Every structure is written in structure tokens, then in C-alpha cells.
Amino acid sequence: MQMTATSTPTLSIDPALLQREQEHFDQHYADEAAQGIGPLSDYDRVRYARPPANTIFPREFYYHLLAPLRGKSVMEIAAGNGIDAAIMTHNGAHLSAYDLSPQSINMVRQRCAANGTDDRLTTQVTGDFDDAFAGESFDHIVGYAALHHLPNMDALADRIHDRLKPGGTAVFAEPVLNSKALGFLRRCVPLAIDDMTDDERPLTDTDMRRFGEPFDNMRCRYFQLTSRVWRLFPNNWPLTVALHKLDHGLLK
């Protein structure tokens, strides 16, 4: 179902905000790229192909919602370090990925080339959804930790809806924080688990409900609570699994 409206909300973004975000992520991805860019591991090639619905891991559930990807056209908002681009193209998607950071897009291209899937990849450097692959429509429009960087999400939701093919889906994984008390405690702890910019903020359930209004239906599932700290111990797989299992029980 296509929506019609008498006026179109603007997606204009403060140029100073875009500049700050670009500079931050150019440096971030330049540092990450300097550590080396390789292909997907054999484990990840299997892990994200057809994950089960009851998985305890958020990225696996993300790909459960998208599977099967073979032959599908996908637009990725804020392509980041290219991990998801490599996974999607490996699983047979024809991916159009954009990011405002040239360093990000360089990583996306290099990672897909290392993975042998760059023939299914198209990229663009832009921070404007309307400018990205203008005139094209997609089976899926996706983003992993992308929306919370963007202002005017209501207008963006309408745009995303209108650029989906009939029966298409939008799939996003986002940080959500509904508790003001928990938010206060997090600000008091001088420990940054994620590399955050000054302009981003976690979303709320209200944000997500409003974002879902243009669509026929919306499905949400919550994952990380205690397991956010696994990033502090990236090589401790038993701890990672244990924390995700704990969260699965707590959030159920």
C-alpha cells in the first residue's frame, strides 16, 4: 500500500551536525581499517545465512527477518564498517549501501572485495536519504544502529515506506532506552562501551511506535541488557553466551 500526502516533511539536516558526524566516523573507520580488513569467517558465513527465530543474538535475529536474501535488492542506511554489507552480499543480496563517511564506504568496498562479493555491491557517499540511489526502490531497506543518529525520524519513515517495493520490509536494530533512571545511571558511569558521538541518543518505544506508523505492521524484539558489556571482553565467548542467555530470560 502506498501512502499519499498533501505535503512532504523535510529531511533537512543541520550541516554542522553532518560535518561533526562525518569527521568522527572518518577517523573511527580509518583507525579500524588500519587494523586490517579481511573476508568473513567460515563461522559467520554459516551463522547468518538462515538463523532461527528463537536466537538469543540480535544480529542473528536481524538476518532471520531478512532471510532468504538471494536475489533481493537491499538498501543499507549508514553502512558503517562493511560487516553487514559483506554478510548480505555473501547471502546473495544485491546491495546499495550508503554512508556520509568516505572512510566507511572505502571499508565497505574493501571488505566486500576481500569477501569476493563486490560484484553485488553499489555504494554512495551521502548523508541524505533522498539523494541516496534516487529513483530506485528495494525489497528491503535496512540499518544496524543507524536510525538513532538521524533527526526527523517520522519524515524518514514515510520516505522509507515509499521506496519499498510491494511486500517489502524495513529492518532496523537500534539502541532503545525507556528508563530515565537507567539513563541517568549510565551517564554517571565513566565507562564508554560504544564509540558514541555527542549528537546521538538511544531511541524509546515511543520513537519506534511513531516510526512504524506508515507500515502495515511492526514487530519488535528486545535483546541486550547485561550483555552490552561483552564488548569489554571480546575474546571471552563463554561469557558472551552466558550474558545473552541471561538477557533472553530477563527480557522474555
Side-chain angles (χ1 to χ4, degrees), residues 52-54 61 64-65 170-172 208 212 215-222:
N54 64 347
F61 189 68
H64 165 76
L65 296 175
V171 179
F172 294 92
M208 298 311 300
F215 302 93
D216 293 334
N217 58 75
M218 183 174 78
R219 177 182 181 186
C220 292
R221 183 177 161 192
Y222 301 95

Side-chain angles (χ1 to χ4, degrees), residues 1 20 26 37 46 58 82 85 88 137 159-160 169 177 202 227:
M1 179 179 69
R20 289 194 299 272
D26 274 345
I37 301 174
V46 174
M88 285 186 280
S137 58
R159 300 295 213 286
I160 290 173
T169 58
L177 180 63
S227 55

Side-chain angles (χ1 to χ4, degrees), residues 56-57 236-246:
I56 61 174
F57 298 105
N236 192 331
W237 182 244
L239 175 63
T240 299
V241 174
L243 290 173
H244 280 82
K245 286 182 177 180
L246 174 62

